[in-house]
Amino acid sequence: MNHIVHLDIDTFFVSVERILDPKLEGRPVIVGGNPLAGRGVVASCSYEARQFGVHSAQPIRLAHRLCPKAIFLSGNYLHYSKYSQTVSQILKEITPIREQASVDEFYIDLSRTERYRGDAYVWAQEIRKTLNGETHLPISCGFSTNKLISKIATSVKAKHNPERHFKVEPGFERQFLSPLPIRAMPGIGEKMEEELRSFGIDRIGQLAQTEVQTLQRLFGKTGKALSEKSHGIDYSSVVETREQQAHSRQTTFDNTIDVALLFAKLQSLASEVAQDLRRAKKFTSKVSLTLRYSDRTIVSKMMSCAYTNRDMDIYHLAVKLFKKLWTRSVQVQQLSIACSQLLDDLEQQYLFDDAEQECAKVYSVMDLLRAKYSKSIIGFANVQLR
């Protein structure tokens, strides 16, 4: 029998900020940017802020109107990454198979472990307690026979359980799902929820009673998947997390055509992803830029380059890509820079090149200053390539 665990770090960004500054405990906290600047969206918010209607992906200005007394933080993604990596490393050391689904979500496969570890559910609780004790992060745990049910168990039960864990017994998957609102099902967004409600389907149990042919007629291939999920069926396996094959950074705007702002953000993103590469001791030879217009059209291009992990090298390529992508007089909503085709230990090639060694020292000092103070403490002069 399968024993699948889903772990979720509650309000992850906010939880890290509270570890760094305990004075934030119990207060409404919103991570995502400065509401006075009027740009950005909510990346994470505390439960105290949610009581006022604030939620993730909400425009930061709206969040400020709903909860003006909240503490707004720009966020320190270096710290968030560090805590996420710590959780991942602990799981790697104490569990047989683990998959990192996102920066704050993990799956563990404890199937066929009873012989040497005893009851798998008891072990899952021990794992959660170990993570909480070593990181001080609030972690919730769902347990069942597959990834789908465990994830839902975490979100609708474990997070609201003082003990922060919940088990769905084998054979009771449909009974567990039936009374839940359809939005509790992963993959059902606002638009699909409206469509299903228009047909009188409000609960997952009603979805399970709907013929699969009807769902296929309404939603195509997705209809069959919806039918299977509503019956608690999920064939996906926990896939061992492999080493990161790319580094990326992105930023979201409140829709803009301000060229100076766009170039400034490109430079900021390039510096952030370059610093990520240097921290991981990686070099990239492929840089890609993804641009999302305000009408939700997404375009992307990639360019090859000599191996590098320097801010300005990546920025120069990003500018060239941007000029090729921004071909419409439509506002920009999001920019993303990704670096792939990674290589290790290229520093050895620079051992006998004094200029390269001096350049590496400059970047090393910059990284130390950014880590100690803030990412904006030092940078390059704004450069706009014509």
PDB file of all heavy atoms in Angstrom, residues 319-341:
ATOM      1  N   VAL A 319      18.813  42.626 -22.409  1.00  0.00           N
ATOM      2  CA  VAL A 319      18.382  43.814 -23.155  1.00  0.00           C
ATOM      3  C   VAL A 319      18.189  43.476 -24.628  1.00  0.00           C
ATOM      4  O   VAL A 319      17.204  43.883 -25.256  1.00  0.00           O
ATOM      5  CB  VAL A 319      19.404  44.959 -22.983  1.00  0.00           C
ATOM      6  CG1 VAL A 319      19.093  46.090 -23.957  1.00  0.00           C
ATOM      7  CG2 VAL A 319      19.376  45.474 -21.553  1.00  0.00           C
ATOM      8  N   LYS A 320      19.127  42.724 -25.200  1.00  0.00           N
ATOM      9  CA  LYS A 320      19.000  42.332 -26.605  1.00  0.00           C
ATOM     10  C   LYS A 320      17.736  41.498 -26.831  1.00  0.00           C
ATOM     11  O   LYS A 320      17.011  41.684 -27.818  1.00  0.00           O
ATOM     12  CB  LYS A 320      20.235  41.546 -27.035  1.00  0.00           C
ATOM     13  CG  LYS A 320      21.508  42.373 -27.090  1.00  0.00           C
ATOM     14  CD  LYS A 320      22.706  41.511 -27.470  1.00  0.00           C
ATOM     15  CE  LYS A 320      23.991  42.329 -27.487  1.00  0.00           C
ATOM     16  NZ  LYS A 320      25.176  41.502 -27.818  1.00  0.00           N
ATOM     17  N   LEU A 321      17.474  40.597 -25.910  1.00  0.00           N
ATOM     18  CA  LEU A 321      16.275  39.763 -26.016  1.00  0.00           C
ATOM     19  C   LEU A 321      15.015  40.603 -25.863  1.00  0.00           C
ATOM     20  O   LEU A 321      14.019  40.397 -26.570  1.00  0.00           O
ATOM     21  CB  LEU A 321      16.309  38.666 -24.948  1.00  0.00           C
ATOM     22  CG  LEU A 321      17.363  37.575 -25.151  1.00  0.00           C
ATOM     23  CD1 LEU A 321      17.511  36.729 -23.891  1.00  0.00           C
ATOM     24  CD2 LEU A 321      16.990  36.688 -26.335  1.00  0.00           C
ATOM     25  N   PHE A 322      15.053  41.551 -24.926  1.00  0.00           N
ATOM     26  CA  PHE A 322      13.894  42.411 -24.698  1.00  0.00           C
ATOM     27  C   PHE A 322      13.541  43.203 -25.952  1.00  0.00           C
ATOM     28  O   PHE A 322      12.368  43.332 -26.319  1.00  0.00           O
ATOM     29  CB  PHE A 322      14.175  43.369 -23.543  1.00  0.00           C
ATOM     30  CG  PHE A 322      13.052  44.316 -23.251  1.00  0.00           C
ATOM     31  CD1 PHE A 322      11.946  43.894 -22.547  1.00  0.00           C
ATOM     32  CD2 PHE A 322      13.095  45.628 -23.695  1.00  0.00           C
ATOM     33  CE1 PHE A 322      10.884  44.774 -22.283  1.00  0.00           C
ATOM     34  CE2 PHE A 322      12.061  46.500 -23.442  1.00  0.00           C
ATOM     35  CZ  PHE A 322      10.948  46.078 -22.733  1.00  0.00           C
ATOM     36  N   LYS A 323      14.549  43.734 -26.622  1.00  0.00           N
ATOM     37  CA  LYS A 323      14.302  44.518 -27.833  1.00  0.00           C
ATOM     38  C   LYS A 323      13.671  43.672 -28.935  1.00  0.00           C
ATOM     39  O   LYS A 323      12.899  44.177 -29.760  1.00  0.00           O
ATOM     40  CB  LYS A 323      15.603  45.143 -28.316  1.00  0.00           C
ATOM     41  CG  LYS A 323      16.108  46.261 -27.416  1.00  0.00           C
ATOM     42  CD  LYS A 323      17.390  46.875 -27.942  1.00  0.00           C
ATOM     43  CE  LYS A 323      17.844  48.045 -27.085  1.00  0.00           C
ATOM     44  NZ  LYS A 323      19.093  48.659 -27.593  1.00  0.00           N
ATOM     45  N   LYS A 324      13.986  42.384 -28.951  1.00  0.00           N
ATOM     46  CA  LYS A 324      13.391  41.498 -29.943  1.00  0.00           C
ATOM     47  C   LYS A 324      11.962  41.102 -29.570  1.00  0.00           C
ATOM     48  O   LYS A 324      11.127  40.849 -30.446  1.00  0.00           O
ATOM     49  CB  LYS A 324      14.241  40.238 -30.097  1.00  0.00           C
ATOM     50  CG  LYS A 324      15.616  40.493 -30.716  1.00  0.00           C
ATOM     51  CD  LYS A 324      16.390  39.185 -30.862  1.00  0.00           C
ATOM     52  CE  LYS A 324      17.745  39.443 -31.505  1.00  0.00           C
ATOM     53  NZ  LYS A 324      18.508  38.176 -31.692  1.00  0.00           N
ATOM     54  N   LEU A 325      11.691  41.061 -28.263  1.00  0.00           N
ATOM     55  CA  LEU A 325      10.377  40.597 -27.801  1.00  0.00           C
ATOM     56  C   LEU A 325       9.333  41.709 -27.721  1.00  0.00           C
ATOM     57  O   LEU A 325       8.153  41.480 -27.985  1.00  0.00           O
ATOM     58  CB  LEU A 325      10.513  39.948 -26.421  1.00  0.00           C
ATOM     59  CG  LEU A 325      11.248  38.609 -26.354  1.00  0.00           C
ATOM     60  CD1 LEU A 325      11.423  38.186 -24.907  1.00  0.00           C
ATOM     61  CD2 LEU A 325      10.469  37.539 -27.116  1.00  0.00           C
ATOM     62  N   TRP A 326       9.744  42.926 -27.336  1.00  0.00           N
ATOM     63  CA  TRP A 326       8.782  44.008 -27.127  1.00  0.00           C
ATOM     64  C   TRP A 326       8.487  44.679 -28.466  1.00  0.00           C
ATOM     65  O   TRP A 326       9.027  45.719 -28.796  1.00  0.00           O
ATOM     66  CB  TRP A 326       9.323  45.017 -26.115  1.00  0.00           C
ATOM     67  CG  TRP A 326       8.232  45.886 -25.551  1.00  0.00           C
ATOM     68  CD1 TRP A 326       6.922  45.582 -25.408  1.00  0.00           C
ATOM     69  CD2 TRP A 326       8.373  47.220 -25.060  1.00  0.00           C
ATOM     70  NE1 TRP A 326       6.223  46.618 -24.846  1.00  0.00           N
ATOM     71  CE2 TRP A 326       7.093  47.651 -24.615  1.00  0.00           C
ATOM     72  CE3 TRP A 326       9.444  48.094 -24.928  1.00  0.00           C
ATOM     73  CZ2 TRP A 326       6.865  48.899 -24.081  1.00  0.00           C
ATOM     74  CZ3 TRP A 326       9.202  49.354 -24.373  1.00  0.00           C
ATOM     75  CH2 TRP A 326       7.942  49.747 -23.959  1.00  0.00           C
ATOM     76  N   THR A 327       7.616  44.053 -29.217  1.00  0.00           N
ATOM     77  CA  THR A 327       7.296  44.506 -30.574  1.00  0.00           C
ATOM     78  C   THR A 327       5.897  45.092 -30.678  1.00  0.00           C
ATOM     79  O   THR A 327       5.452  45.454 -31.771  1.00  0.00           O
ATOM     80  CB  THR A 327       7.408  43.328 -31.555  1.00  0.00           C
ATOM     81  OG1 THR A 327       6.517  42.276 -31.132  1.00  0.00           O
ATOM     82  CG2 THR A 327       8.837  42.793 -31.600  1.00  0.00           C
ATOM     83  N   ARG A 328       5.191  45.162 -29.545  1.00  0.00           N
ATOM     84  CA  ARG A 328       3.816  45.659 -29.567  1.00  0.00           C
ATOM     85  C   ARG A 328       3.688  46.849 -28.630  1.00  0.00           C
ATOM     86  O   ARG A 328       4.383  46.929 -27.621  1.00  0.00           O
ATOM     87  CB  ARG A 328       2.838  44.562 -29.128  1.00  0.00           C
ATOM     88  CG  ARG A 328       2.977  43.267 -29.909  1.00  0.00           C
ATOM     89  CD  ARG A 328       2.244  42.132 -29.194  1.00  0.00           C
ATOM     90  NE  ARG A 328       0.831  42.411 -29.079  1.00  0.00           N
ATOM     91  CZ  ARG A 328       0.066  41.932 -28.080  1.00  0.00           C
ATOM     92  NH1 ARG A 328       0.589  41.209 -27.124  1.00  0.00           N
ATOM     93  NH2 ARG A 328      -1.227  42.219 -28.059  1.00  0.00           N
ATOM     94  N   SER A 329       2.807  47.769 -28.941  1.00  0.00           N
ATOM     95  CA  SER A 329       2.577  48.938 -28.084  1.00  0.00           C
ATOM     96  C   SER A 329       1.552  48.585 -27.013  1.00  0.00           C
ATOM     97  O   SER A 329       0.494  49.198 -26.896  1.00  0.00           O
ATOM     98  CB  SER A 329       2.085  50.124 -28.924  1.00  0.00           C
ATOM     99  OG  SER A 329       0.912  49.766 -29.633  1.00  0.00           O
ATOM    100  N   VAL A 330       1.895  47.546 -26.239  1.00  0.00           N
ATOM    101  CA  VAL A 330       1.034  47.042 -25.169  1.00  0.00           C
ATOM    102  C   VAL A 330       1.827  47.067 -23.872  1.00  0.00           C
ATOM    103  O   VAL A 330       3.037  46.833 -23.867  1.00  0.00           O
ATOM    104  CB  VAL A 330       0.553  45.605 -25.469  1.00  0.00           C
ATOM    105  CG1 VAL A 330      -0.312  45.074 -24.331  1.00  0.00           C
ATOM    106  CG2 VAL A 330      -0.222  45.570 -26.782  1.00  0.00           C
ATOM    107  N   GLN A 331       1.171  47.367 -22.776  1.00  0.00           N
ATOM    108  CA  GLN A 331       1.850  47.444 -21.491  1.00  0.00           C
ATOM    109  C   GLN A 331       2.424  46.086 -21.080  1.00  0.00           C
ATOM    110  O   GLN A 331       1.881  45.036 -21.416  1.00  0.00           O
ATOM    111  CB  GLN A 331       0.888  47.940 -20.418  1.00  0.00           C
ATOM    112  CG  GLN A 331       0.485  49.403 -20.594  1.00  0.00           C
ATOM    113  CD  GLN A 331      -0.433  49.858 -19.482  1.00  0.00           C
ATOM    114  OE1 GLN A 331      -1.345  49.146 -19.081  1.00  0.00           O
ATOM    115  NE2 GLN A 331      -0.190  51.057 -18.967  1.00  0.00           N
ATOM    116  N   VAL A 332       3.516  46.129 -20.335  1.00  0.00           N
ATOM    117  CA  VAL A 332       4.181  44.924 -19.858  1.00  0.00           C
ATOM    118  C   VAL A 332       3.731  44.636 -18.430  1.00  0.00           C
ATOM    119  O   VAL A 332       3.657  45.533 -17.592  1.00  0.00           O
ATOM    120  CB  VAL A 332       5.717  45.089 -19.901  1.00  0.00           C
ATOM    121  CG1 VAL A 332       6.406  43.869 -19.285  1.00  0.00           C
ATOM    122  CG2 VAL A 332       6.175  45.296 -21.339  1.00  0.00           C
ATOM    123  N   GLN A 333       3.442  43.357 -18.154  1.00  0.00           N
ATOM    124  CA  GLN A 333       2.970  42.958 -16.833  1.00  0.00           C
ATOM    125  C   GLN A 333       4.029  42.190 -16.048  1.00  0.00           C
ATOM    126  O   GLN A 333       4.107  42.282 -14.825  1.00  0.00           O
ATOM    127  CB  GLN A 333       1.717  42.077 -16.961  1.00  0.00           C
ATOM    128  CG  GLN A 333       1.030  41.767 -15.655  1.00  0.00           C
ATOM    129  CD  GLN A 333      -0.231  40.951 -15.874  1.00  0.00           C
ATOM    130  OE1 GLN A 333      -0.159  39.747 -16.088  1.00  0.00           O
ATOM    131  NE2 GLN A 333      -1.380  41.609 -15.857  1.00  0.00           N
ATOM    132  N   GLN A 334       4.882  41.434 -16.760  1.00  0.00           N
ATOM    133  CA  GLN A 334       5.857  40.608 -16.052  1.00  0.00           C
ATOM    134  C   GLN A 334       7.099  40.371 -16.905  1.00  0.00           C
ATOM    135  O   GLN A 334       7.015  40.223 -18.125  1.00  0.00           O
ATOM    136  CB  GLN A 334       5.228  39.264 -15.671  1.00  0.00           C
ATOM    137  CG  GLN A 334       6.083  38.396 -14.763  1.00  0.00           C
ATOM    138  CD  GLN A 334       5.373  37.114 -14.377  1.00  0.00           C
ATOM    139  OE1 GLN A 334       5.355  36.153 -15.140  1.00  0.00           O
ATOM    140  NE2 GLN A 334       4.769  37.104 -13.196  1.00  0.00           N
ATOM    141  N   LEU A 335       8.253  40.349 -16.241  1.00  0.00           N
ATOM    142  CA  LEU A 335       9.530  40.018 -16.879  1.00  0.00           C
ATOM    143  C   LEU A 335      10.168  38.874 -16.107  1.00  0.00           C
ATOM    144  O   LEU A 335      10.084  38.827 -14.876  1.00  0.00           O
ATOM    145  CB  LEU A 335      10.479  41.216 -16.869  1.00  0.00           C
ATOM    146  CG  LEU A 335      10.158  42.402 -17.781  1.00  0.00           C
ATOM    147  CD1 LEU A 335      11.129  43.538 -17.497  1.00  0.00           C
ATOM    148  CD2 LEU A 335      10.233  42.000 -19.254  1.00  0.00           C
ATOM    149  N   SER A 336      10.827  37.974 -16.832  1.00  0.00           N
ATOM    150  CA  SER A 336      11.505  36.855 -16.187  1.00  0.00           C
ATOM    151  C   SER A 336      12.791  36.536 -16.939  1.00  0.00           C
ATOM    152  O   SER A 336      12.781  36.420 -18.163  1.00  0.00           O
ATOM    153  CB  SER A 336      10.598  35.625 -16.155  1.00  0.00           C
ATOM    154  OG  SER A 336      11.290  34.503 -15.656  1.00  0.00           O
ATOM    155  N   ILE A 337      13.896  36.417 -16.208  1.00  0.00           N
ATOM    156  CA  ILE A 337      15.176  36.018 -16.779  1.00  0.00           C
ATOM    157  C   ILE A 337      15.534  34.640 -16.236  1.00  0.00           C
ATOM    158  O   ILE A 337      15.460  34.406 -15.024  1.00  0.00           O
ATOM    159  CB  ILE A 337      16.298  37.016 -16.412  1.00  0.00           C
ATOM    160  CG1 ILE A 337      16.037  38.377 -17.052  1.00  0.00           C
ATOM    161  CG2 ILE A 337      17.658  36.480 -16.877  1.00  0.00           C
ATOM    162  CD1 ILE A 337      17.092  39.420 -16.686  1.00  0.00           C
ATOM    163  N   ALA A 338      15.919  33.725 -17.125  1.00  0.00           N
ATOM    164  CA  ALA A 338      16.327  32.378 -16.720  1.00  0.00           C
ATOM    165  C   ALA A 338      17.682  32.049 -17.333  1.00  0.00           C
ATOM    166  O   ALA A 338      17.946  32.380 -18.492  1.00  0.00           O
ATOM    167  CB  ALA A 338      15.289  31.346 -17.153  1.00  0.00           C
ATOM    168  N   CYS A 339      18.524  31.407 -16.561  1.00  0.00           N
ATOM    169  CA  CYS A 339      19.846  30.982 -17.022  1.00  0.00           C
ATOM    170  C   CYS A 339      19.928  29.461 -16.954  1.00  0.00           C
ATOM    171  O   CYS A 339      19.694  28.874 -15.891  1.00  0.00           O
ATOM    172  CB  CYS A 339      20.939  31.594 -16.155  1.00  0.00           C
ATOM    173  SG  CYS A 339      21.052  33.392 -16.288  1.00  0.00           S
ATOM    174  N   SER A 340      20.258  28.824 -18.065  1.00  0.00           N
ATOM    175  CA  SER A 340      20.342  27.370 -18.121  1.00  0.00           C
ATOM    176  C   SER A 340      21.674  26.950 -18.740  1.00  0.00           C
ATOM    177  O   SER A 340      22.567  27.767 -18.902  1.00  0.00           O
ATOM    178  CB  SER A 340      19.158  26.809 -18.925  1.00  0.00           C
ATOM    179  OG  SER A 340      19.117  27.378 -20.212  1.00  0.00           O
ATOM    180  N   GLN A 341      21.757  25.672 -19.109  1.00  0.00           N
ATOM    181  CA  GLN A 341      23.009  25.120 -19.651  1.00  0.00           C
ATOM    182  C   GLN A 341      24.149  25.464 -18.681  1.00  0.00           C
ATOM    183  O   GLN A 341      25.091  26.181 -19.002  1.00  0.00           O
ATOM    184  CB  GLN A 341      23.310  25.694 -21.034  1.00  0.00           C
ATOM    185  CG  GLN A 341      24.304  24.891 -21.865  1.00  0.00           C
ATOM    186  CD  GLN A 341      23.658  23.730 -22.588  1.00  0.00           C
ATOM    187  OE1 GLN A 341      22.444  23.724 -22.783  1.00  0.00           O
ATOM    188  NE2 GLN A 341      24.437  22.744 -22.968  1.00  0.00           N
TER     189      GLN A 341
END
